[in-house]
Each structure stands twice: as C-alpha cells, then as structure tokens.
Amino acid sequence: GENVEQHPSTLSVQEGDSAVIKCTYSDSASNYFPWYKQELGKGPQLIIDIRSNVGEKKDQRIAVTLNKTAKHFSLHITETQPEDSAVYFCAASLNYGGSQGNLIFGKGTKLSVKP
Amino acid sequence: EPEVTQTPSHQVTQMGQEVILRCVPISNHLYFYWYRQILGQKVEFLVSFYNNEISEKSEIFDDQFSVERPDGSNFTLKIRSTKLEDSAMYFCASSVEGAPRTEAFFGQGTRLTVV
C-alpha cells in the first residue's frame, strides 16, 4: 500500500523567511496530494492540494510542487508570519473507481515562525 | 462557517470498556470518515461510510470497531473493548462527494485515553 514520508519533523524559521516541507510517496498510482494545517486544539484544515496532472500550484504565499517521476511533492510558504506556526501534514490519495480516495498522511511537520 | 463537531473532546476509559465517539458531520455532506493519530505518529485512515454502509476500512478497523449513523445528523465510532493501544486522537471527517473529488473537512478530534 501507499506510504508517505515527510521531512523535516520540526522546522523553525524567522518571520519573513521561507519554509519548505517535503514529502515522498511510494505508490506511483497516487494522484491527489493535499496539505493540511493543524493548529493547537483543532482538526486538520486543507490549505492547498495538487492533482497528478499538474506540476505546481500557488495560492498567495503558499505553493505546492509535484514531481511524479521522483514521487515527491513539497509545500513552500513564503514571507512566513507567526500565525503560520502549526503542524503541517502532507497526504496522498489514490482515486480510482469504487475508492473513496482515503488519505494516507505523513507524520507531520511542526513549523515555528519566530517574530 | 459549517464545521464538523466531535464530542467529547477528551475521553478517559478503563481497558476493556466500550466507548462511543460522536461526530456531527456538515449537514449536506454524504461521505463520512474516521481517522486516528497515535501520539507522535501519522494520521491513519480507519473507515469511510456512505449511503449507510461502510465503503472502505483499513486493517486497523477490526471487529472491535463499528460505525453507525443512528439518525440524520450523528456519525459514531464504537470501540467494543478498549485496549491500551487504542489511546489516540480520533478525527471524524466528512465531504460532499467521495474525497478527493471534494475536500474532506475534519473535526477537532477526540482524545481517547485508555488506562
């Protein structure tokens, strides 16, 4: 089955710097890659996602890149702000006929943005 | 903004006891999920539910687990005879269509502690 590895487990950056979180997946058939942000005491919230027919997607300060050949995808946050501090999870999903596309998550990255 | 709500936020139970974790999905959603996260580990898929029946389940979801939609609003996860290793954060999620065709919205989680 699918396995998702996520690095680093913790990341500390200065406000205004960029943060990059990387994930690799094992099943080349996976075709959907969401990123979730989890703040303390809350459930994971989708912040951006990418499908396998696209190499890059951007939404304001957040971007995701996907390299299908290498089976890795990355989250890029530019101009980080203290409110970006949270745990970020990558996930992979295989959407095929009959599947609900259940998500396989990475272990999470705790991002700390220092003012 | 509509959200998935879970109760209780924290449940402590003795080993061997039955527990029921409750979730109220977003009202117009049709697909429901349970995930769990053991402390320091990945978020893991347990089960998906659609049209009043289980769509998919993981190997974690053994005979000790069951799900039910007892009325039009609640979605429950029952663990019949809890074990120490069932201690985890349990997340409920729901989506309009089978994720990833649409976003899966997560609740804030129930922390289950088995003593």
Side-chain angles (χ1 to χ4, degrees):
Chain A
E2 176 64 278
N3 183 52
V4 176
E5 298 292 335
Q6 183 172 348
H7 300 281
S9 55
T10 60
L11 179 60
S12 182
V13 298
Q14 286 294 132
E15 182 177 0
D17 288 350
S18 295
V20 180
I21 302 170
K22 298 183 179 181
C23 288
T24 60
Y25 61 99
S26 60
D27 190 341
S28 57
S30 289
N31 57 8
Y32 175 68
F33 308 93
W35 285 88
Y36 284 83
K37 176 183 181 182
Q38 185 179 23
E39 296 174 313
L40 201 61
K42 297 185 180 180
Q45 182 178 19
L46 181 72
I47 55 171
I48 195 167
D49 56 15
I50 192 167
R51 297 179 189 272
S52 59
N53 58 346
V54 174
E56 184 174 356
K57 184 176 178 180
K58 190 172 181 180
D59 183 4
Q60 298 182 343
R61 296 186 297 108
I62 295 173
V64 57
T65 58
L66 170 65
N67 183 328
K68 285 194 298 180
T69 304
K71 290 189 283 188
H72 66 69
F73 56 112
S74 301
L75 177 72
H76 304 252
I77 306 174
T78 58
E79 300 172 30
T80 53
Q81 301 165 4
E83 51 265 38
D84 294 329
S85 296
V87 178
Y88 291 81
F89 293 98
C90 64
S93 176
L94 170 59
N95 182 22
Y96 58 87
S99 166
Q100 299 305 313
N102 307 310
L103 300 171
I104 307 300
F105 283 85
K107 270 185 129 175
T109 296
K110 184 176 182 181
L111 174 64
S112 300
V113 180
K114 298 178 180 177
Chain B
E1 184 178 326
E3 58 180 12
V4 175
T5 57
Q6 291 185 240
T7 55
S9 56
H10 191 191
Q11 172 95 41
V12 181
T13 189
Q14 288 203 324
M15 190 169 55
Q17 294 296 305
E18 175 184 287
V19 293
I20 297 177
L21 309 183
R22 301 180 192 279
C23 169
V24 178
I26 295 173
S27 61
N28 64 329
H29 286 188
L30 303 176
Y31 293 79
F32 313 113
Y33 312 85
W34 283 101
Y35 288 81
R36 80 171 187 189
Q37 184 180 27
I38 295 171
L39 188 64
Q41 298 187 24
K42 300 182 179 186
V43 177
E44 300 171 292
F45 167 73
L46 292 178
V47 65
S48 60
F49 190 87
Y50 171 70
N51 201 26
N52 284 319
E53 60 183 22
I54 290 173
S55 304
E56 285 188 68
K57 59 182 181 179
S58 72
E59 56 189 26
I60 302 168
F61 194 88
D62 61 21
D63 292 344
Q64 293 299 311
F65 291 87
S66 62
V67 289
E68 193 178 28
R69 189 152 163 83
D71 52 44
S73 59
N74 289 284
F75 178 52
T76 62
L77 174 70
K78 182 194 289 186
I79 308 175
R80 263 179 270 282
S81 177
T82 50
K83 302 186 282 282
L84 294 176
E85 52 265 38
D86 293 328
S87 295
M89 181 73 87
Y90 288 81
F91 293 106
C92 172
S94 70
S95 60
V96 174
E97 297 180 51
R101 287 189 291 279
T102 58
E103 176 183 351
F105 289 81
F106 283 76
Q108 81 279 16
T110 292
R111 180 170 297 283
L112 176 65
T113 303
V114 182
V115 297

